[in-house]
């Protein structure tokens, strides 16, 4: 038997020596795992036994990669909200603790993407590359970390920017009945943030897949998806996903806010969120209260919306503006969920079905809408030109109701009604057509100066378009003052009014001259009808007959 060459033998000896040392130095480590079992499965929830150390809101793992959140932590069992398809789960299946709370991927890589609350992409553009994660439930910023709301958030919608302004860091509720244009206002606001250095997060909660696809296509078509993150749960998703969706979207938005950026988040809509929470609570045997909602329904929305704020400059100066949407039934704004959210937010935009049916779009009811913060952040130029507009519009609406009774109106009342009709016509705005600040200023200033009052009501749309086109001739130095804190000077107002007046001149009706009043023409007696040649009044003739 031949011996191995000396070089090969030394190599093998060295390899075996290394393996021997590694084996001797290895110490097996025992990692304890806390495992429980499913005792029952219901619609969107599971009851689990055998997890004595699990905490509230902790993430637990089920077979097949399905996760759940510990919702009810009782002595004998744990009620878990399922966050995925659960058709394959059965009683007796093994459940494992993860030791962490629910979190979501955050970062610039989410811009332009469509995801679900778990961070799974839904747009077919591959997995997300972001590695930074934040818990979906986070404490709101402390009071001392917040700064006043001083910068306006321009929506591009005239009636809102002029009469119900919104500031960056504000929470403004949008509420109204079904199909009154609530989502349209939110989408227009997102479109108007193009070039404004504002990141947008659109959270679709329990929406129809076709409606969400239409919204995403609209944002992509108008190049708004580049600065927008879309978080989606559909109507057929488990209620657990619908419940965590707004919290996940808020954590994504907070990441940008804490980086010093201005963020706009839209919750569309919190009615579905409240219903999902009610469903989960009733399945978990939580005691129902008013309208079958559990008592802490106020808390789930308040802890969500309190995270919207404007941070101090020392913390980056970022802001998070929230536009929650809520659906009312039969115009009942005093229902349980609407009153909860009205008390949490800093104002509301109420959309009236009556105005919607009349074709007044957006159908914002100025009398029931209010902004408790945005007026402080509104541009000084707006305060100059729109200061008396809301009062004049409110007076018009009252007089319009009174005039329907057929009462005879004096000249001042008639002028007020005619002026109000032109205000309403100017505040109309088609969907997906935000209006720039200079154009809004020109239209509003012409309104307050009553330049539109001589325009026939059926020509108001064309007249307003003419003023908006003429606003492009306003000097750049004057437009620069629109963004400042100083009010418009008299010379600036005079210049804008001259531009608007020239644009409206062609819409003023020309006086009708009777043939006999024209120079060099005399009426032919034969051409005068017999009735007009009679001297006696009609009332006298009627008595004689």
């Amino acid at each position: 038997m031949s011996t191995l060459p000396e070089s090969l033998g030394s190599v093998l000896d060295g390899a075996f020596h290394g393996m021997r040392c590694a084996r001797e130095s290895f110490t097996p480590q025992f990692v304890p795992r806390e495992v429980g079992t499913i005792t029952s499965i219901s619609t969107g929830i599971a009851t689990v036994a055998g997890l004595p150390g699990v905490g509230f809101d902790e993430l637990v793992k089920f077979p097949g990669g399905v996760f759940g959140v510990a919702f009810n932590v009782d002595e004998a069992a744990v009620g878990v909200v399922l966050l995925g398809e659960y058709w394959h789960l059965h009683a007796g299946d093994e459940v494992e603790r993860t030791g962490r709370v629910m979190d979501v991927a955050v970062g610039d890589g989410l811009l332009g993407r469509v995801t679900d609350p778990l961070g799974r992409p839904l747009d077919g553009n591959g997995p997300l590359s972001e590695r930074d994660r934040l818990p979906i439930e986070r404490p709101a910023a402390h009071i001392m970390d917040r700064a006043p709301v001083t910068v306006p958030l321009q929506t591009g919608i005239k009636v809102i920017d002029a009469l119900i302004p919104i500031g960056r860091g504000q929470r403004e509720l949008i509420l109204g009945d079904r199909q009154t244009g609530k989502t349209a206002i939110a989408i227009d606001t997102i479109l108007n943030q193009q070039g404004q250095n504002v990141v947008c997060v659109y959270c679709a909660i329990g929406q129809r897949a076709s409606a969400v696809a239409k919204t995403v296509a609209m944002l992509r078509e108008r190049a708004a998806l580049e600065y927008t993150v879309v978080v989606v749960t559909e109507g057929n998703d488990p209620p657990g996903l619908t419940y965590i969706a707004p919290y996940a979207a808020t954590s994504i938005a907070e990441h940008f806010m804490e980086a010093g950026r201005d963020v706009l988040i839209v919750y569309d809509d919190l009615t579905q969120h409240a219903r999902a929470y009610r469903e989960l609570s009733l399945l978990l045997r939580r005691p129902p209260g008013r309208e079958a909602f559990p008592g802490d329904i106020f808390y789930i929305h308040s802890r969500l919306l309190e995270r919207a704020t404007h941070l101090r400059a020392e913390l980056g100066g970022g802001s998070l503006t929230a536009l929650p949407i809520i659906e009312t039934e039969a115009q009942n704004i005093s229902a349980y969920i609407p009153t909860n959210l009205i008390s949490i937010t800093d104002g509301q935009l109420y959309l009236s079905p009556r105005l919607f049916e009349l074709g007044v779009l957006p159908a914002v009811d100025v009398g029931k809408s209010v902004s408790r913060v945005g007026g402080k952040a509104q541009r000084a130029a707006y305060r100059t030109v729109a200061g008396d507009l809301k009062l004049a519009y409110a007076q018009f609406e009252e007089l319009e109701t009174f005039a329907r009774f057929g009462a005879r109106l004096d000249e001042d009342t008639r002028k007020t009604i005619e002026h109000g009709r032109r205000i309403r016509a100017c505040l109309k705005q088609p969907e997906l057509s935000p209006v720039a600040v200079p154009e809004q200023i020109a239209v509003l200033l012409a309104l307050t100066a009553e330049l539109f009052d001589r325009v026939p009501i059926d020509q108001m749309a064309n007249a307003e378009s003419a003023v908006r086109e003429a606003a492009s001739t306003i000097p750049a130095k004057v437009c620069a003052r629109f963004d400042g804190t100083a009010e418009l000077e008299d010379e600036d107002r005079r210049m804008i009014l001259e531009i608007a007046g020239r644009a409206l001149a062609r819409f003023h009706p020309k006086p009708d001259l009777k043939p006999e009043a024209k120079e060099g023409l005399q009426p032919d007696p034969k051409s005068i009808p017999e009735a007009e040649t009679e001297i006696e009044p009609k009332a006298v003739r009627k008595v004689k007959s």
Side-chain angles (χ1 to χ4, degrees):
M1 182 175 177
S2 61
T3 59
L4 293 172
E6 184 178 350
S7 58
L8 182 59
S10 60
V11 170
L12 290 175
D13 289 341
F16 286 131
H17 177 71
M19 293 168 62
R20 189 181 307 111
C21 293
R23 180 175 56 81
E24 293 173 355
S25 62
F26 173 73
T27 303
Q29 304 231 347
F30 296 94
V31 179
R33 286 193 313 142
E34 195 168 318
V35 177
T37 55
I38 300 175
T39 58
S40 66
I41 287 281
S42 184
T43 305
I45 66 165
T47 305
V48 178
L51 295 177
V54 73
F56 178 71
D57 266 357
E58 183 178 340
L59 206 62
V60 295
K61 188 175 182 180
F62 291 85
V66 178
F67 288 94
V69 177
F71 221 53
N72 274 13
V73 183
D74 300 326
E75 185 176 355
V78 178
V80 179
V81 173
L82 300 172
L83 303 179
E85 295 294 340
Y86 50 86
W87 56 270
H88 61 282
L89 300 179
H90 305 281
D93 287 348
E94 192 176 89
V95 185
E96 182 183 349
R97 284 184 60 190
T98 63
R100 61 187 179 92
V101 296
M102 179 64 201
D103 54 18
V104 65
V106 298
D108 289 345
L110 270 72
L111 294 175
R113 301 300 301 271
V114 181
T115 73
D116 68 359
L118 299 178
R120 297 176 298 198
L122 303 176
D123 51 8
N125 293 333
L128 299 176
S129 60
E130 294 300 318
R131 301 193 178 274
D132 295 335
R133 304 186 72 86
L134 286 178
I136 64 169
E137 292 268 17
R138 305 179 70 211
H142 299 292
I143 296 296
M144 298 306 294
D145 293 339
R146 305 184 181 215
V149 176
T150 56
V151 180
L153 180 88
Q154 293 296 127
T155 65
I157 302 172
K158 290 170 290 185
V159 64
I160 297 177
D161 291 340
L163 306 183
I164 312 120
I166 301 173
R168 296 187 183 183
Q170 185 176 345
R171 300 157 296 180
E172 185 78 4
L173 177 65
I174 303 174
L175 75 163
D177 285 8
R178 286 178 58 86
Q179 301 297 322
T180 51
K182 302 183 294 296
T183 301
I185 287 181
I187 297 302
D188 281 356
T189 304
I190 292 176
L191 295 179
N192 197 56
Q193 305 315 308
Q194 193 162 21
Q196 304 295 323
N197 196 26
V198 175
V199 176
C200 300
V201 179
Y202 178 74
C203 180
I205 307 171
Q207 300 292 314
R208 289 179 291 109
S210 59
V212 175
K214 180 181 177 182
T215 300
V216 172
M218 191 183 305
L219 294 175
R220 182 178 288 112
E221 179 185 348
R222 295 178 177 263
L225 202 59
E226 301 171 358
Y227 54 86
T228 305
V229 182
V230 181
V231 180
V232 177
T233 59
E234 299 175 5
N236 58 350
D237 284 339
L241 275 182
T242 303
Y243 169 69
I244 69 169
Y247 300 104
T250 306
S251 291
I252 294 172
E254 280 182 328
H255 169 79
F256 295 107
M257 177 185 70
E258 292 169 357
R261 305 181 70 174
D262 293 315
V263 189
L264 168 68
I265 184 167
V266 175
Y267 304 106
D268 188 12
D269 64 54
L270 290 185
T271 306
Q272 302 295 336
H273 183 241
R275 288 171 181 165
Y277 183 70
R278 176 173 62 181
E279 179 181 352
L280 294 172
S281 299
L282 295 179
L283 288 168
L284 290 169
R285 308 286 182 175
R286 293 190 176 186
R290 179 177 165 185
E291 300 175 28
F293 286 101
D296 59 344
I297 190 73
F298 179 90
Y299 177 59
I300 72 167
H301 287 153
S302 63
R303 75 172 187 257
L304 170 70
L305 294 171
E306 279 297 321
R307 295 162 70 176
T309 185
H310 178 208
L311 296 178
R312 291 189 298 126
E314 294 84 350
L315 298 174
S319 68
L320 177 56
T321 308
L323 292 182
I325 297 174
I326 200 77
E327 180 185 303
T328 58
E329 296 179 355
Q331 307 178 49
N332 184 18
I333 63 175
S334 61
Y336 188 33
I337 302 302
T339 49
N340 278 354
L341 285 160
I342 288 172
S343 62
I344 294 169
T345 51
D346 306 314
Q348 69 272 352
L349 296 170
Y350 176 65
L351 303 184
S352 167
R354 179 182 63 84
L355 293 176
F356 188 86
E357 292 165 1
L358 292 174
V360 180
L361 301 176
V364 177
D365 189 326
V366 176
K368 294 181 181 177
S369 301
V370 66
S371 177
R372 305 186 187 100
V373 178
K376 300 292 184 182
Q378 191 178 30
R379 287 183 167 94
Y382 276 95
R383 289 197 294 269
T384 302
V385 301
D388 300 329
L389 204 60
K390 189 170 185 177
L391 177 61
Y393 192 52
Q395 289 176 340
F396 154 68
E397 289 186 324
E398 292 293 331
L399 290 174
E400 186 185 35
T401 304
F402 177 73
R404 288 177 187 156
F405 294 106
R408 295 184 62 182
L409 305 176
D410 59 90
E411 186 64 20
D412 290 341
T413 303
R414 190 188 62 78
K415 286 183 178 179
T416 302
I417 291 178
E418 290 299 322
H419 181 57
R421 285 175 178 164
R422 280 148 183 82
I423 294 176
R424 173 181 287 172
C426 277
L427 294 182
K428 287 182 182 180
Q429 189 170 333
E431 190 178 349
L432 306 177
S433 58
V435 181
V437 171
E439 297 177 10
Q440 291 194 36
I441 296 293
V443 172
L444 296 172
L445 190 56
L447 263 181
T448 54
E450 301 182 353
L451 296 184
F452 283 101
D453 287 9
R454 293 180 57 192
V455 178
I457 196 69
D458 57 347
Q459 292 289 320
M460 280 298 299
N462 296 330
E464 187 218 343
S465 299
V467 173
R468 287 174 52 186
E469 291 176 7
S472 60
T473 63
I474 298 176
K477 61 179 182 180
V478 177
C479 292
R481 283 197 280 271
F482 293 160
D483 297 330
T485 56
E487 295 185 356
L488 289 179
E489 300 176 359
D490 292 340
E491 185 62 31
D492 297 338
R493 293 166 60 94
R494 193 177 303 111
M495 179 188 304
I496 297 172
L497 287 176
E498 288 178 0
I499 293 173
R502 289 195 297 268
L504 292 174
R506 60 191 177 93
F507 295 97
H508 293 164
K510 297 178 182 179
D512 293 331
L513 295 177
K514 294 183 179 180
E516 59 269 21
K518 294 182 180 179
E519 184 178 357
L521 294 178
Q522 295 296 331
D524 185 2
K526 296 181 180 179
S527 64
I528 301 177
E530 182 180 355
E532 295 184 7
T533 60
E534 296 178 0
I535 300 175
E536 294 178 327
K538 293 183 179 179
V540 176
R541 297 199 307 273
K542 185 175 181 181
V543 172
K544 285 184 178 180
S545 62

